[in-house]
Amino acid sequence: MGDCVCMAKGAAETVKLNMALILLPVCRNTITWLRNKTRLGRVVPFDDNLNFHKVIAVGILVGVTIHAGAHLSCDFPRLLDATPEQYRPLRQFFGEEQPQSYWHFVNSVEGITGLVMVLLMAIAFTLATPWFRRGKLNLPGPLKQLASFNAFWYTHHLFVIVYVLLVAHGYYLYITKDWRQKTTWMYLVVPVVLYGCERLIRAFRSSIKAVTIRKVAVYPGNVLAIHLSRPQNFKYKSGQYMFVNCAAVSPFEWHPFSITSAPQDDYLSVHIRVLGDWTRALKGVFSEVCKPPPAGVSGLLRADMLHGANNPE
């Protein structure tokens, strides 16, 4: 099979490495600890983690393209066109009967997992582009929901399925039979465990630091101000931000907002400009329970002592 299999296998190794690395920039607690508690923060731009995440995603795209291209345009045609003498040494890997069509490779664990992974990655990559994520496209009818942050957020979490398929794809190999040479799980085990611990920490911390919404004000100009009770021992400095979740909008989405209250205040406040679909839905939730002000008094809509599921991290 010559250079074709070398190209495919080499690209596969880069995909494994990048699929391991791409989880690290979204481990917020780990990044915060490394930046604040170690000397790495002086030389590593941890605050640029999302751009690093995007660069790795491009690397995955390149690796997948080379891997699939080498198989489809080089490896498989050589197997299909091989003479009986050329195919004889490969029987131990591909079976006694020589494949006669591409369907032989597609209708296998390797083929099915590979195609599904490419499809899910294509969906996630496409909806993560600024045109879709920021709702810049004016799509017709039901397709309009695709150009939104919600679509980006939910499709990005297809990565759970992708990782399961990646492990299966890396285990059921044609040529490699020794499990010690099937290295996909070796690349992924540490980053996946680290990311899983991160999510557990976030869920646990947000559940024990529930807050009460004291006041909500919807200002003209599409600015939403929210005042929250301050959890005990919650310390912060001016200029820091916190992640906010509203279960009435989405129980899974967390969005970062700058803390606008002073560190000495006994409450937390954020001012949110309504731009995307999540912030519009958040404004809609509070607007429904807010009473409009008396005519000529002010331009505010207020709601006091609302109890919600907004939790700071």
Side-chain angles (χ1 to χ4, degrees), residues 113-160:
T113 55
L115 290 174
V116 175
M117 276 194 296
V118 170
L119 176 62
L120 296 181
M121 285 182 179
I123 294 173
F125 286 1
T126 301
L127 297 185
T129 57
W131 302 282
F132 284 91
R133 188 178 73 251
R134 297 177 182 175
K136 294 182 178 180
L137 296 179
N138 188 18
L139 299 177
L143 295 179
K144 190 174 183 179
Q145 297 298 324
L146 295 177
S148 65
F149 185 89
N150 281 341
F152 151 74
W153 196 91
Y154 285 112
T155 55
H156 233 59
H157 283 74
L158 293 172
F159 81 91
V160 176

Side-chain angles (χ1 to χ4, degrees), residues 1-311:
M1 298 173 70
D3 297 336
C4 302
V5 71
C6 295
M7 289 283 291
K9 292 297 183 182
E13 293 301 311
T14 68
V15 171
K16 295 175 190 177
L17 176 62
N18 285 327
M19 288 294 286
L21 291 177
I22 201 168
L23 289 177
L24 301 181
V26 292
C27 293
R28 296 197 300 262
N29 294 300
T30 302
I31 289 176
T32 300
W33 183 84
L34 290 173
R35 182 181 61 238
N36 297 336
K37 302 297 184 180
T38 70
R39 295 183 179 180
L40 287 175
R42 300 177 182 177
V43 294
V44 179
F46 288 113
D47 289 330
D48 209 24
N49 57 321
L50 292 184
N51 283 330
F52 183 49
H53 181 79
K54 296 173 185 177
V55 170
I56 298 172
V58 173
I60 292 174
L61 176 62
V62 173
V64 169
T65 301
I66 296 174
H67 178 74
H71 278 320
L72 295 174
S73 65
C74 191
D75 281 340
F76 297 165
R78 285 190 176 186
L79 284 170
L80 297 176
D81 298 336
T83 63
E85 291 75 17
Q86 292 173 329
Y87 181 74
R88 188 173 294 111
L90 301 175
R91 288 178 179 175
Q92 57 180 321
F93 305 118
F94 298 96
E96 290 296 324
E97 295 186 9
Q98 182 176 352
Q100 300 299 316
S101 68
Y102 273 97
W103 180 249
H104 174 87
F105 304 106
V106 173
N107 190 27
S108 63
V109 175
E110 299 91 329
I112 294 172
T113 55
L115 290 174
V116 175
M117 276 194 296
V118 170
L119 176 62
L120 296 181
M121 285 182 179
I123 294 173
F125 286 1
T126 301
L127 297 185
T129 57
W131 302 282
F132 284 91
R133 188 178 73 251
R134 297 177 182 175
K136 294 182 178 180
L137 296 179
N138 188 18
L139 299 177
L143 295 179
K144 190 174 183 179
Q145 297 298 324
L146 295 177
S148 65
F149 185 89
N150 281 341
F152 151 74
W153 196 91
Y154 285 112
T155 55
H156 233 59
H157 283 74
L158 293 172
F159 81 91
V160 176
I161 302 174
V162 171
Y163 275 89
V164 173
L165 294 174
L166 180 61
V167 173
H169 188 78
Y171 183 81
Y172 292 95
L173 300 176
Y174 284 114
I175 297 177
T176 304
K177 302 302 180 183
D178 187 349
W179 69 271
R180 290 168 294 185
Q181 296 178 359
K182 299 177 180 181
T183 59
T184 303
W185 67 272
M186 300 179 188
Y187 280 96
L188 301 181
V189 62
V190 172
V192 168
V193 170
L194 179 62
Y195 182 79
C197 292
E198 283 267 339
R199 298 306 294 256
L200 289 175
I201 291 172
R202 294 182 206 174
F204 176 74
R205 188 168 58 192
S206 62
S207 65
I208 64 174
K209 290 188 177 181
V211 298
T212 300
I213 299 178
R214 292 182 174 180
K215 184 178 72 173
V216 175
V218 183
Y219 293 95
N222 274 338
V223 175
L224 182 67
I226 304 177
H227 287 215
L228 315 167
S229 62
R230 182 171 176 172
Q232 188 176 7
N233 299 323
F234 186 89
K235 299 179 181 180
Y236 65 96
K237 298 179 181 179
S238 298
Q240 289 187 320
Y241 63 91
M242 65 181 180
F243 283 82
V244 176
N245 167 265
C246 180
V249 177
S250 172
F252 307 110
E253 289 187 57
W254 292 81
H255 294 267
F257 296 101
S258 297
I259 303 175
T260 55
S261 54
Q264 63 270 22
D265 291 336
D266 63 350
Y267 64 90
L268 299 171
S269 68
V270 292
H271 286 69
I272 302 170
R273 188 178 180 187
V274 180
L275 291 174
D277 51 344
W278 187 85
T279 52
R280 283 194 295 269
L282 183 67
K283 177 185 175 183
V285 168
F286 288 119
S287 295
E288 289 180 4
V289 295
C290 288
K291 296 180 180 180
V297 174
S298 70
L300 303 180
L301 297 176
R302 299 183 182 275
D304 293 333
M305 297 306 293
L306 293 175
H307 296 276
N310 291 47
N311 304 320

